[in-house]
């Protein structure tokens, strides 16, 4: 029983169109590089900047929301203490992997929208222009980083240390909130510990592919270092850590989405079924995602390679938006596939916060700490099976577009 009201995660509020249309989460490059989106991009960048500046003690700060995933291992939006020691709330090596990360993306997207409406528009847009900007905020959806498209690259929005934004009365440059997440004091003061000898407690910013050695006193480690070229080399070289050559990222995703490639949702969803087994001839969605994390963070402890701290790097959100997209595409291709065998233990044998060791999960398993309402009701996997109910879809998944209508007739069945 919760003493205080819980935070209702809803995604961005929306009204579907007459054929069920909802706003689309777009490819981050197509969206960002199109000058027509400049106003919406500016809203997003300034909202993210403000989000990252919210005091770290606040539940709705970037720091605490990113901190749900792993460190600093504090309860979020609930009173309970850790159930079993581990990496935090994130569900890895578990068939809850795709479903848990879905409401996590709603929460991030919703916070960006709220900050656009509550802060950026009132502060930066003159009254006459506000209706236009409010409409842009309502239409905003988190973009995805399609790391499987050719040529594989980092998103342009994340590449430079500074970035320009414009509003009706001003055009200026800000430190790019997608380049790295920066804190005002060393993260050790905020509860971030070292992990496997990597001195995350000593830094004031996230890093990608830092050079060897990670010296806790090196200023580039402390203030964050981003070796974009090394990230791109890693992605294009695709040295999968599983002892097998799975080809390019695009080839791995192609197999992920191939008809009848996976017999069950469980096999698609997570590394759990192949853990400790001889290398399988496929990679699950989690398996592909793991490699992207490791290539982005690099071999020397860049944040993205370490589950306890990966979500502090802002690129995490663009990466996981693409994971959610592939999950949604797979669902559309396999509409009847869902959790199959409740008698199996399909979570990490070592356990984590929301799935203690030995847990057998089912689609009603609470996706802690994400709440549907203010009364402490948790999301479960069944709740998020239909993603459009939360007001978004993806470019490939717009059954309301005429090209998807059978016989030229809109078919409501295709929408659900
Ligand atoms: N540590 C994982 C592995 O090697 C990869 C990973 C990294 C997964 C960060 C999640 C994450 O947040 O398989």
């Amino acid at each position: 029983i919760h003493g205080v009201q819980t935070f209702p995660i809803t995604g961005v509020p929306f009204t579907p169109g007459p054929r069920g249309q909802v706003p689309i989460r777009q490819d981050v490059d197509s969206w960002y590089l199109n000058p027509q989106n400049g106003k919406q991009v500016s809203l997003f960048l300034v909202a993210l900047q403000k989000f990252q500046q919210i005091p770290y003690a606040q539940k709705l700060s970037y720091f605490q929301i990113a901190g749900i995933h792993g460190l600093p291992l504090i309860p979020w939006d609930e009173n309970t203490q850790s159930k079993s020691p581990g990496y935090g709330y994130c569900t890895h090596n578990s068939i809850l992997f795709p479903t848990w990360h879905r409401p996590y993306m709603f929460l991030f997207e919703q916070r960006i929208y709220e900050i656009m409406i509550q802060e950026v528009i009132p502060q930066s847009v003159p009254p006459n222009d506000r209706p236009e900007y409010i409409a842009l905020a309502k239409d905003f959806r988190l973009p995805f980083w399609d790391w499987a498209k050719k040529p594989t690259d980092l998103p342009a929005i994340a590449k430079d240390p500074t970035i320009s934004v414009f509003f009706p009365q001003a055009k200026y440059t800000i430190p790019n909130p997608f380049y790295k997440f920066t804190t005002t004091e060393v993260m050790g003061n905020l509860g971030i510990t070292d992990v496997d000898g990597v001195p995350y407690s000593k830094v004031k910013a996230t890093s990608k592919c830092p050079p060897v050695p990670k010296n806790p006193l090196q200023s580039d480690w402390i203030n964050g270092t981003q070796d974009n070229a090394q990230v791109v080399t890693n992605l294009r070289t695709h040295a999968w850590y599983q002892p097998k050559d799975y080809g390019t990222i695009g080839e791995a995703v192609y197999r992920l989405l191939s008809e009848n490639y996976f017999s069950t949702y469980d096999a698609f969803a997570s590394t759990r079924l192949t853990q400790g087994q001889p290398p399988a001839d496929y990679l699950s969605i989690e398996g592909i995602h793991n490699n992207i994390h490791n290539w982005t963070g690099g071999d020397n402890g860049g944040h993205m390679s370490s589950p306890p701290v990966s979500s502090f790097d802002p690129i995490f959100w663009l990466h996981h938006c693409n994971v959610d997209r592939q999950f949604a595409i797979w669902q559309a291709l396999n509409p009847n596939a869902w959790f199959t065998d409740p008698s199996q233990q399909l979570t990490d044998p070592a356990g984590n916060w929301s799935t203690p060791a030995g847990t057998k999960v089912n689609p009603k398993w609470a996706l802690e700490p994400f709440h549907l309402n203010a009364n402490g009701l948790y999301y479960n996997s069944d709740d998020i099976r239909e993603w459009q109910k939360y007001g978004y879809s993806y470019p490939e998944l717009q059954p309301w577009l005429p090209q998807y209508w059978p016989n030229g007739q809109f078919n409501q069945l295709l929408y659900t």
Side-chain angles (χ1 to χ4, degrees):
I1 291 178
H2 292 264
V4 289
Q5 294 208 322
T6 49
F7 181 76
I9 299 173
T10 58
V12 180
F14 71 105
T15 315
R19 290 189 303 277
Q21 304 100 305
V22 288
I24 296 301
R25 288 184 178 171
Q26 300 177 57
D27 173 89
V28 64
D29 283 331
S30 323
W31 177 70
Y32 169 67
L33 296 172
N34 181 346
Q36 288 185 344
N37 296 322
K39 293 174 181 173
Q40 199 179 44
V41 167
S42 299
L43 275 178
F44 182 29
L45 288 168
V46 176
L48 181 59
Q49 181 190 37
K50 290 184 182 295
F51 190 20
Q52 293 177 353
Q53 289 167 348
I54 295 176
Y56 312 131
Q58 291 184 26
K59 175 166 93 178
L60 298 178
S61 62
Y62 180 93
F63 179 80
Q64 284 216 13
I65 287 176
I68 290 170
H69 191 261
L71 288 168
L73 301 181
I74 54 170
W76 188 85
D77 203 30
E78 56 180 11
N79 302 322
T80 51
Q81 297 299 316
S82 132
K83 290 181 185 140
S84 63
Y87 275 169
Y89 287 105
C90 62
T91 55
H92 293 122
N93 196 25
S94 154
I95 61 167
L96 298 175
F97 167 77
T99 59
W100 185 89
H101 288 82
R102 182 166 279 176
Y104 200 23
M105 295 300 111
F106 302 168
L107 173 57
F108 185 88
E109 192 171 59
Q110 177 179 346
R111 288 297 293 132
I112 294 289
Y113 166 79
E114 289 167 352
I115 296 165
M116 286 177 176
I117 295 286
Q118 293 163 9
E119 295 184 47
V120 185
I121 294 176
Q123 289 167 14
S124 302
V125 180
N128 285 345
D129 293 306
R130 285 184 195 162
E132 180 195 356
Y133 276 78
I134 290 169
L136 290 172
K138 285 190 190 301
D139 203 43
F140 164 79
R141 293 298 180 275
L142 185 62
F144 57 86
W145 171 27
D146 185 356
W147 19 254
K149 79 175 177 188
K150 290 180 185 171
T152 295
D153 206 346
L154 273 169
I157 201 172
K159 281 186 180 172
D160 298 316
T162 59
I163 199 158
S164 39
V165 295
F166 69 86
F167 290 94
Q169 293 169 335
K171 181 171 174 12
Y172 54 99
T173 296
I174 59 172
N176 184 354
F178 264 114
Y179 188 64
K180 59 182 179 183
F181 170 57
T182 307
T183 46
T184 50
E185 51 190 315
V186 293
M187 294 197 200
N189 294 351
L190 308 170
I192 305 301
T193 59
D194 299 348
V195 180
D196 299 332
V198 184
Y200 295 115
S201 68
K202 301 286 189 291
V203 305
K204 294 177 168 184
T206 55
S207 287
K208 290 186 202 73
C209 293
V212 197
K214 307 161 294 284
N215 182 336
L217 302 177
Q218 259 168 2
S219 87
D220 66 348
W221 170 248
I222 295 169
N223 298 310
T225 170
Q226 322 298 319
D227 190 341
N228 291 348
Q230 186 62 52
V231 175
V232 173
T233 299
N234 292 348
L235 294 166
R236 293 188 186 171
T237 311
H238 52 80
W240 304 96
Y241 72 82
Q242 290 84 351
K244 186 155 178 156
D245 180 12
Y246 294 98
T248 63
I249 304 172
E251 285 162 351
V253 171
Y254 182 83
R255 285 191 294 273
L256 185 78
L257 301 176
S258 295
E259 195 172 1
N260 296 331
Y261 200 73
F262 293 98
S263 51
T264 62
Y265 164 83
D266 305 358
F268 158 82
S270 125
T271 52
R272 178 69 190 94
L273 294 183
T274 46
Q275 191 78 8
Q277 307 288 324
D281 62 356
Y282 66 83
L283 284 169
S284 65
I285 191 168
E286 185 186 13
I288 296 174
H289 137 281
N290 281 350
N291 283 277
I292 307 292
H293 267 285
N294 293 340
W295 294 333
T296 308
D299 294 334
N300 304 309
H303 286 69
M304 276 287 277
S305 14
S306 185
V309 295
S310 56
S311 46
F312 292 103
D313 188 326
I315 204 166
F316 174 95
W317 306 96
L318 305 176
H319 167 45
H320 266 280
C321 187
N322 196 43
V323 171
D324 189 74
R325 165 173 164 257
Q326 294 183 351
F327 176 29
I329 295 172
W330 192 84
Q331 287 183 272
L333 294 169
N334 301 273
N336 300 318
W338 201 232
F339 291 52
T340 37
D341 187 354
S343 70
Q344 281 196 57
Q345 186 237 307
L346 294 168
T347 55
D348 194 310
N352 58 43
W353 268 24
S354 44
T355 53
T359 302
K360 295 172 179 160
V361 287
N362 60 48
K364 300 290 181 210
W365 186 267
L367 301 175
E368 294 178 41
F370 305 125
H371 292 110
L372 267 163
N373 64 21
N375 304 323
L377 180 68
Y378 288 106
Y379 271 91
N380 65 40
S381 297
D382 280 347
D383 292 324
I384 53 78
R385 188 169 175 183
E386 285 175 36
W387 62 94
Q388 304 96 325
K389 280 193 348 199
Y390 299 90
Y392 73 96
S393 198
Y394 293 100
E396 302 82 354
L397 303 173
Q398 303 180 72
W400 50 81
L401 293 182
Q403 61 260 39
Y404 298 114
W405 301 1
N407 316 317
Q409 291 287 312
F410 179 67
N411 181 348
Q412 183 65 33
L413 282 176
L414 279 179
Y415 166 65
T416 46

